[in-house]
Amino acid sequence: PGDCPNTAVEEGNPPAVTDNGNYIVDVSFKSNIKDVNAAAKALKETVGVVDHGLFVDMTHQVIVATKEGKCRVAGKGGEDCWWK
């Protein structure tokens, strides 16, 4: 909705579907999510949404792949979060 288009469909790809027949929606935001906990809660409470990929309070480290094919590690044992 608005700020978060389904990037897979916009790029001309067919929607991804799970083995249970659920659609996987890939979204891209123009700005950072201000309240990740509230966003996760709102998604879980949305009728028809099975789950989301916001790993709130579930990890201490994240590995991010760049467009250049490199990996960056942020969090415990890695660098500070650069996307804040």
Side-chain angles (χ1 to χ4, degrees), residues 2 13 26 39 43 48 50-52 54 57-60 65-66 68 73 75-78 80 84:
N13 299 317
D26 180 21
L43 285 168
V50 177
D51 212 338
H52 57 73
L54 300 175
D57 297 327
M58 295 174 66
T59 185
H60 60 271
T66 68
E68 298 79 27
V73 179
K76 186 176 181 181
D80 289 337
K84 288 185 178 185

Side-chain angles (χ1 to χ4, degrees), residues 9 61 75:
V9 172
Q61 191 178 68

Side-chain angles (χ1 to χ4, degrees), residues 28-65:
S28 178
F29 295 90
K30 294 178 183 175
S31 58
N32 292 341
I33 299 171
K34 295 186 187 328
D35 187 341
V36 178
N37 289 307
K41 184 176 186 293
L43 285 168
K44 284 296 278 187
E45 292 175 350
T46 301
V47 174
V49 173
V50 177
D51 212 338
H52 57 73
L54 300 175
F55 301 104
V56 180
D57 297 327
M58 295 174 66
T59 185
H60 60 271
Q61 191 178 68
V62 62
I63 302 171
V64 179

Side-chain angles (χ1 to χ4, degrees), residues 2-25:
D3 190 34
C4 51
N6 183 343
T7 55
V9 172
E10 284 194 357
E11 293 172 5
N13 299 317
V17 181
T18 69
D19 55 352
N20 289 328
N22 301 310
Y23 288 102
I24 298 174
V25 180

